[in-house]
Amino acid sequence: MLRLTPNRPNVLDEVFDGEAVLVHLGTGRYFALSPSATEVWAALGAGADWDRLTGGVGVAEPELAAFVHRLVDEQLVTADGDLPARPDSVAADGPSFEVYTDMQDLLLLDPIHDINLDGSGWPESA
Amino acid sequence: MARVGLTVPTSPTSLRRFADQLIQEAARATAPGPRAAFSVAGRDLEVRFASAGLYAALAPAWSALSPTTGEGVTLHVVDRDAGGDPPAPPWPADAYRPRDEIDGVGDERLEVAYQLTTGTLMLWDARARTGVWWTRSAAEIPVWERAMPLRALLRWALRDAGVALVHGAAVGTDDALALLVGVGGSGKSTLALAAQQAGWRYVGDDYCAVDPATGMVAPVTSYAKVTEGTLARLPGLDGLRAPLPPSPDGKVVLSVRPAAALRLALLALPCVVQHAAPPAPAGPASTMAALAPTSLLQMPGSRPTDRELLGQVVRGTPAVTLPSGPVLGETLAGLRRVLVAG
């Protein structure tokens, strides 16, 4: 059985009037989910596994599979079990999200190099 | 290069012991030193400094904030010149992460961060309502820290009091305020300072404190930062230059006396366009997408409570887009119309 779990607390999520906004603290990317994607996200948050998703959210299986792959690719969920095959093509009106990367630069500009410790146990001056 | 690291994860017990010892040593170091007390959105804070040099570097930013009314949280500010080294950390050498975070360390009860570039340790103990900011040397405190001091500590302390520290500029009319939110370059600071020059009430250009329960927005610093381009567009700002060097990104620091807290009436999402257009309603999801990432991703220790507070702000406040063209006065006129209309 495939279980998909929202990657909290690395992902902070908030739902407004059927539209979810997700912020991934680790990657610096954030996401605006479509209404059907928000429905899937809410079901995952309520503990739905793949079987319950396919039977419960009113989204065709190929579109659902494609969306789940995107969630995994973006580290928004963790998958316990084998993912369904990634479909070659899906309908355009399936669950989706917009990805915003403008804040990602903050993390990319802040690399961590090797740390040398001084005699007190704290990192030496850069 | 010698690389030192422990192999065991940081245990809650060792972290608790470290925090207790750090607070004790910081309190000892700051006991004889100067103090600054101020209030943010009705929450009182007292900052105790270990030296006059630290006070001179940081306290001016709070000089125009509201006075305290009672006992609040305590923040200790220490440097190694005055207080020596902080106690040795209980986490391994490879735990340092981007955004000043420490891998596997910290939660809403006990937040810890370490800024490698300045050698600054930050700790917030929610149980003791006490924070510690322990840096390398007062002489090395960068200008961006002087302009907006102790940002992470303030954020954690305010969060515990139900107040969100948000990335946004805030300006308004006599009794209603607009919070301008969005990524860098969307025009927040320029619009806020144009409003200040036009006689609007000005609360902040970069960070503000928002109390979702009361709807009040309060300033957290008396400084603003602008580009030379903004100074050229708003030459009246030139007289507000603070006696501080430019920040590394070339921005000039201004002394701008903020207004007291004002009632939040509107969230505005500015964007720079060729031709100004009237404000248009914005949905809560797009508003959250403008507000939350910049508020959550620029500071260490973002938690679900921070997201909840921002969500409350969005749910309780109407929002508009604010296409801003070359003539700032046009954009401000459009914003004023929305504010007046309520």
Side-chain angles (χ1 to χ4, degrees), chain B residues 209-238:
Chain B
V210 183
D211 183 345
T214 64
M216 300 303 285
V217 181
V220 291
T221 179
S222 308
Y223 290 126
K225 286 189 302 178
V226 295
T227 62
E228 291 285 359
T230 296
L231 277 178
R233 291 180 78 181
L234 301 167
L237 295 174
D238 206 54

Side-chain angles (χ1 to χ4, degrees), chain B residues 17-335:
Chain B
R17 193 181 306 123
F18 167 78
D20 290 343
Q21 186 182 353
L22 183 78
I23 290 172
Q24 192 176 35
E25 292 188 17
R28 190 180 305 128
T30 61
R35 299 180 179 191
F38 55 93
S39 178
V40 175
R43 276 65 171 181
D44 291 342
L45 300 103
E46 183 181 67
V47 185
R48 303 179 182 179
F49 299 89
S51 71
L54 288 163
Y55 179 91
L58 301 177
W62 305 311
S63 59
L65 303 191
S66 300
T68 54
T69 55
E71 190 170 328
V73 304
T74 302
L75 306 178
H76 297 286
V77 172
V78 185
D79 68 2
R80 297 185 187 203
D81 298 330
D85 294 324
W91 52 82
D94 60 1
Y96 298 94
R97 291 288 178 271
R99 205 168 46 222
D100 308 335
E101 293 185 338
I102 301 168
D103 191 33
V105 172
D107 56 32
E108 291 192 24
R109 293 163 297 177
L110 187 58
E111 296 283 9
V112 191
Y114 189 85
Q115 191 169 68
L116 288 164
T117 52
T118 60
T120 303
L121 170 68
M122 297 158 270
L123 179 141
W124 168 249
D125 184 345
R127 187 177 69 182
R129 302 181 71 215
T130 299
V132 175
W133 192 86
W134 198 309
T135 194
R136 196 176 291 137
S137 169
E140 296 178 29
I141 295 174
V143 65
W144 44 263
E145 185 74 49
R146 294 171 184 238
M148 172 64 219
L150 315 190
R151 188 176 61 169
L153 277 188
L154 275 180
R155 192 267 195 101
W156 294 328
L158 291 172
R159 175 178 73 197
D160 278 358
V163 174
L165 183 65
V166 302
H167 179 232
V171 290
T173 55
D174 283 345
D175 59 355
L177 178 137
L179 185 63
L180 313 178
V181 298
V183 296
S186 57
K188 299 185 301 293
S189 284
T190 301
L191 271 174
L193 290 161
Q196 190 269 349
Q197 290 285 285
W200 291 43
R201 297 182 73 178
Y202 165 95
V203 172
D205 83 312
D206 195 20
Y207 279 89
C208 303
V210 183
D211 183 345
T214 64
M216 300 303 285
V217 181
V220 291
T221 179
S222 308
Y223 290 126
K225 286 189 302 178
V226 295
T227 62
E228 291 285 359
T230 296
L231 277 178
R233 291 180 78 181
L234 301 167
L237 295 174
D238 206 54
L240 300 177
R241 285 178 185 263
L244 292 170
S247 61
D249 58 3
K251 288 188 175 177
V252 175
V253 182
L254 306 177
S255 292
V256 188
R257 187 175 184 84
L262 277 175
R263 178 182 60 86
L264 178 61
L266 184 71
L267 291 166
L269 284 56
C271 60
V272 177
V273 295
Q274 290 288 337
H275 304 287
S286 58
T287 305
M288 187 71 171
L291 171 65
T294 59
S295 296
L296 298 172
L297 291 170
Q298 299 194 85
M299 284 182 279
S302 290
R303 309 294 176 194
T305 302
D306 298 297
R307 184 260 305 155
E308 288 168 18
L309 290 170
L310 296 178
Q312 290 172 30
V313 173
V314 171
R315 285 192 174 85
T317 316
V320 296
T321 60
L322 190 61
S324 179
V327 183
L328 296 171
E330 283 182 31
T331 308
L332 291 177
L335 183 59

Side-chain angles (χ1 to χ4, degrees), chain A residues 8-9 12-17 19-33 100 102-104 106-107 110-126, chain B residues 1-4 18 80 85-89 91 93 96-100 114 116-117 121 136 183 284-286 288-290 292-294 296-298 302-304 307-308 310-312 314-315:
Chain A
R8 297 170 179 139
L12 299 179
D13 56 310
E14 189 78 23
V15 179
F16 299 91
D17 299 336
E19 291 183 86
V21 176
L22 277 54
V23 179
H24 195 303
L25 297 175
T27 65
R29 293 156 75 91
Y30 60 103
F31 309 84
L33 274 60
Y100 299 89
D102 46 279
M103 296 297 295
Q104 195 172 10
L106 282 177
L107 298 181
D110 191 16
I112 298 299
H113 305 288
D114 282 344
I115 304 292
N116 284 328
L117 302 183
D118 62 19
S120 65
W122 290 98
E124 289 180 346
S125 302
Chain B
M1 178 188 300
R3 189 179 171 95
V4 181
F18 167 78
R80 297 185 187 203
D85 294 324
W91 52 82
Y96 298 94
R97 291 288 178 271
R99 205 168 46 222
D100 308 335
Y114 189 85
L116 288 164
T117 52
L121 170 68
R136 196 176 291 137
V183 296
S286 58
M288 187 71 171
T294 59
L296 298 172
L297 291 170
Q298 299 194 85
S302 290
R303 309 294 176 194
R307 184 260 305 155
E308 288 168 18
L310 296 178
Q312 290 172 30
V314 171
R315 285 192 174 85

Side-chain angles (χ1 to χ4, degrees), chain A residues 17-56:
Chain A
D17 299 336
E19 291 183 86
V21 176
L22 277 54
V23 179
H24 195 303
L25 297 175
T27 65
R29 293 156 75 91
Y30 60 103
F31 309 84
L33 274 60
S34 68
S36 61
T38 299
E39 192 178 351
V40 175
W41 181 258
L44 292 174
D49 57 22
W50 175 252
D51 291 341
R52 282 175 59 195
L53 274 185
T54 52

